[in-house]
Amino acid sequence: MHSLPDVFLAFLRDNAISPAIYDRDQAKHFHCPASDKGRLLHDPVAHDPEFADASDTCPDFYTLSPAFSFARSALYTCTPAVILPMELSSGVAVSLLNLQPSDHLLDLCCAPGCKLVLAARTMHATPTPLATTGIITGVDISPRRLANTRALLKKYSVPHVRLFQADGTTFAQHPIAFTSTPHAHAHAQQPSTPRPFHASTSLRKRPTTSLPHLYHKVMVDAQCTHDGSIKHIRKHLGTSTTSSIDWSQFHPDSLAALHDLQFRLISNGFELLQPGGIMIYSTCSLSRAQNELIAERFLQAHPHAQPLPFAVGSHPSNDAAQFRFHPGMGTGGFFIFRVTKAE
């Protein structure tokens, strides 16, 4: 294993994280809709020696060996793609939103887009009348990452989604809905409303209108240090090219600024959640400061926030409204916190 930078090693020591977790590859996971399970069993993924059903942890998820290449899968390379590679833990975060076809969902830190695609699959698995169809709003501050998200939406032919390039700590646009009023679309695109970075064909070709209420569901997969993403860290160690990891983010001053950013993201997400709705806060960090301490600070600052208990398969949890995945579970590190807003 390539040596880890000193500033990162100091971060690991401060957070009681063993460097040994980066010495081994992680299993791969993917989602496949239940309606395509028959096709899945005839795909090369089913011949992988470690192919296994992981639905006991998250519906319609499967496990593969670390060495498997999705380029071998006909269900991944077809158009639209069927297999969606993503972490099992991320799938759990989406499933805990209890998404319904009529929900209006805000994904406040949406790039690179896998959770957004899975959310759309979940909401639109069963056709519903357009007048009662929920629309997803994705937000990210990076145009490059949003471009990747847009490409992913096209790869999977995801309908009823709009993307905004915006700061998630200040984003304030209300959800929109389909309408039969011919001029409603013009009303929704007033000068005070920023133009989306991307809108699916259904939103461009049919009239929509702004809604007076907030979002039914909110995802805040907050910017973090990604120290729990084993694949992410391993990918950028010992390479001759410039790493995409800014190791200075692990300096104490940078971590303090990140903690403040995460708190502002979860707070704004909660402001945009309607009473009775569900919000998920998550990170792929193993640091308490980015996870449990953010949840604690958030609950202290927002008296209308109520922890919403959940279970993850047969895995025990120390807190019924929080769950931490760790590498010993065959996944990367991932934290989930779920709340609702008092009505």
Side-chain angles (χ1 to χ4, degrees):
M1 182 65 185
H2 298 288
S3 60
L4 298 167
D6 290 341
V7 68
F8 184 52
L9 287 171
F11 168 83
L12 297 180
R13 287 194 298 271
D14 291 344
N15 289 278
I17 301 170
S18 171
I21 65 174
Y22 305 106
D23 288 343
R24 55 186 181 273
D25 287 325
Q26 292 288 308
K28 292 181 177 178
H29 300 98
F30 68 89
H31 175 266
C32 181
S35 58
D36 289 296
K37 186 171 183 179
R39 297 170 64 191
L40 178 66
L41 298 179
H42 294 89
D43 190 83
V45 294
H47 303 294
D48 180 78
E50 296 183 31
F51 173 73
D53 189 332
S55 60
D56 57 336
T57 300
C58 191
D60 304 320
F61 264 77
Y62 300 85
T63 301
L64 296 171
S65 63
F68 185 84
S69 171
F70 284 104
R72 294 169 48 199
S73 167
L75 293 182
Y76 176 73
T77 56
C78 64
T79 304
V82 175
I83 282 179
L84 175 64
M86 65 183 295
E87 289 283 354
L88 179 67
S89 51
S90 295
V92 170
V94 174
S95 71
L96 290 173
L97 287 166
N98 295 337
L99 290 166
Q100 304 300 315
S102 60
D103 280 342
H104 290 280
L105 167 67
L106 174 63
D107 188 346
L108 201 55
C109 305
C110 69
C114 288
K115 294 184 187 67
L116 191 152
V117 173
L118 180 59
R121 283 184 164 188
T122 304
M123 289 171 57
H124 306 311
T126 303
T128 56
L130 202 61
T132 59
T133 296
I135 293 173
I136 299 176
T137 299
V139 179
D140 203 274
I141 199 168
S142 166
R144 177 185 61 82
R145 287 167 58 83
L146 274 178
N148 292 337
T149 303
R150 177 177 57 195
L152 198 69
L153 296 180
K154 292 180 178 179
K155 177 179 175 66
Y156 289 91
S157 297
V158 178
H160 316 325
V161 174
R162 58 179 184 160
L163 302 177
F164 285 94
Q165 182 194 346
D167 184 341
T169 67
T170 58
F171 182 78
Q173 298 301 312
H174 278 224
I176 61 172
F178 292 109
T179 178
S180 58
T181 305
H183 302 295
H185 191 73
H187 170 73
Q189 298 298 328
Q190 291 178 348
S192 60
T193 302
R195 291 181 60 84
F197 180 93
H198 167 74
S200 57
T201 303
S202 59
L203 299 183
R204 296 195 304 270
K205 292 188 174 182
R206 295 182 176 91
T208 59
T209 186
S210 296
L211 294 174
H213 62 72
L214 300 173
Y215 295 87
H216 300 103
K217 309 289 170 63
V218 175
M219 280 195 293
V220 183
D221 188 39
Q223 181 176 331
C224 69
T225 50
H226 299 287
D227 56 274
S229 178
I230 310 301
K231 298 171 186 175
H232 178 74
I233 298 295
R234 285 176 60 89
K235 180 180 177 181
H236 299 285
L237 289 175
T239 60
S240 58
T241 58
T242 302
S243 171
S244 68
I245 299 178
D246 178 9
W247 296 106
S248 67
Q249 69 176 314
F250 295 101
H251 188 277
D253 291 342
S254 298
L255 292 171
L258 177 62
H259 182 91
D260 180 64
L261 171 62
Q262 291 167 334
F263 178 74
R264 288 185 289 127
L265 285 168
I266 189 175
S267 295
N268 193 45
F270 188 69
E271 288 297 318
L272 294 168
L273 179 71
Q274 67 172 271
I278 297 175
M279 180 177 74
I280 293 288
Y281 170 84
S282 61
T283 79
C284 56
S285 173
L286 290 164
S287 160
R288 279 183 52 82
Q290 298 176 58
N291 298 322
E292 289 88 352
L293 298 188
I294 287 287
E296 179 180 322
R297 179 182 173 188
F298 168 77
L299 290 173
Q300 290 174 349
H302 298 275
H304 296 298
Q306 298 177 346
L308 193 59
F310 63 89
V312 178
S314 59
H315 301 293
S317 174
N318 294 328
D319 187 312
Q322 302 177 21
F323 191 84
R324 179 194 283 267
F325 285 89
H326 57 81
M329 299 168 66
T331 68
F334 196 79
F335 175 81
I336 302 173
F337 171 51
R338 187 170 76 160
V339 299
T340 186
K341 181 181 284 187
E343 298 192 57

